[in-house]
Amino acid sequence: MSNKNSNFSQKLTSLLGYNRTCLNKDKQYLYHLENASLTLCLVNYLANCSYISPNIVTVISQIDGWIVNMQIKSTIEPQQEKDIQAVFNELGVVYTPSKLINSVLMRLESGATMTEVMRRYHVSIVSHGVPQYDEIEVFRTDVIKGLGYCPQYLA
């Protein structure tokens, strides 16, 4: 019976967006967003959301969209949690990480620098730590300038 409860709990948490267990047991949201505009909107919301500070937000750019991983270190009220969940659900979809992305996130959580992780796993980590709107905008601008056009995921 407890195995059934465990499976139900895993399915429920997966639906709610808490797909991974953080090393330090913080509340976690892991989502895939379609483009840079949605990612910028979400990061701006998180940066200005005083009741979830301090937090760690990781933004990874991929050719098919953006992965946003957020860990909340502070305790928040149930309504505030629902508000955060609603914003994430409005802008993206729950993301189940590949082995590669799971390894990337675990290395970052363990204290490795962004540069070390990018070199080791060959991924584009745009931001890690306190939400940084400017880092994402600079990345977006530089890639568009380098390519000479704006791909869908950077729109």
Side-chain angles (χ1 to χ4, degrees), residues 69-81:
N69 178 54
M70 182 181 77
Q71 297 174 27
I72 300 177
K73 293 184 171 290
S74 58
T75 304
I76 59 174
E77 298 295 321
Q79 185 57 51
Q80 294 169 334
E81 187 174 342

Side-chain angles (χ1 to χ4, degrees), residues 31-106:
Y31 278 73
H32 182 269
L33 285 75
E34 232 177 83
N35 57 45
S37 297
L38 295 173
T39 304
L40 288 166
C41 183
L42 178 62
V43 168
N44 188 49
Y45 169 80
L46 296 174
N48 292 305
C49 197
S50 62
Y51 55 82
I52 58 171
S53 191
N55 56 48
I56 298 172
V57 176
T58 303
V59 178
I60 299 172
S61 175
Q62 295 187 310
I63 201 78
D64 66 340
W66 298 73
I67 298 168
V68 177
N69 178 54
M70 182 181 77
Q71 297 174 27
I72 300 177
K73 293 184 171 290
S74 58
T75 304
I76 59 174
E77 298 295 321
Q79 185 57 51
Q80 294 169 334
E81 187 174 342
K82 287 178 184 177
D83 292 346
I84 293 167
Q85 188 70 50
V87 170
F88 269 92
N89 286 335
E90 181 71 24
L91 299 174
V93 295
V94 174
Y95 179 74
T96 302
S98 64
K99 287 182 181 180
L100 173 71
I101 297 300
N102 198 40
S103 296
V104 165
L105 294 173
M106 289 183 72

Side-chain angles (χ1 to χ4, degrees), residues 75-145:
T75 304
I76 59 174
E77 298 295 321
Q79 185 57 51
Q80 294 169 334
E81 187 174 342
K82 287 178 184 177
D83 292 346
I84 293 167
Q85 188 70 50
V87 170
F88 269 92
N89 286 335
E90 181 71 24
L91 299 174
V93 295
V94 174
Y95 179 74
T96 302
S98 64
K99 287 182 181 180
L100 173 71
I101 297 300
N102 198 40
S103 296
V104 165
L105 294 173
M106 289 183 72
R107 289 283 292 172
L108 289 169
E109 287 174 25
S110 69
T113 66
M114 285 175 40
T115 304
E116 291 170 343
V117 175
M118 287 190 287
R119 283 186 184 145
R120 181 173 181 165
Y121 296 102
H122 305 283
V123 295
S124 296
I125 302 169
V126 180
S127 180
H128 177 70
V130 176
Q132 297 292 325
Y133 184 94
D134 294 342
E135 289 177 353
I136 298 166
E137 190 58 52
V138 167
F139 174 85
R140 178 178 174 255
T141 303
D142 288 349
V143 172
I144 291 170
K145 192 181 295 182

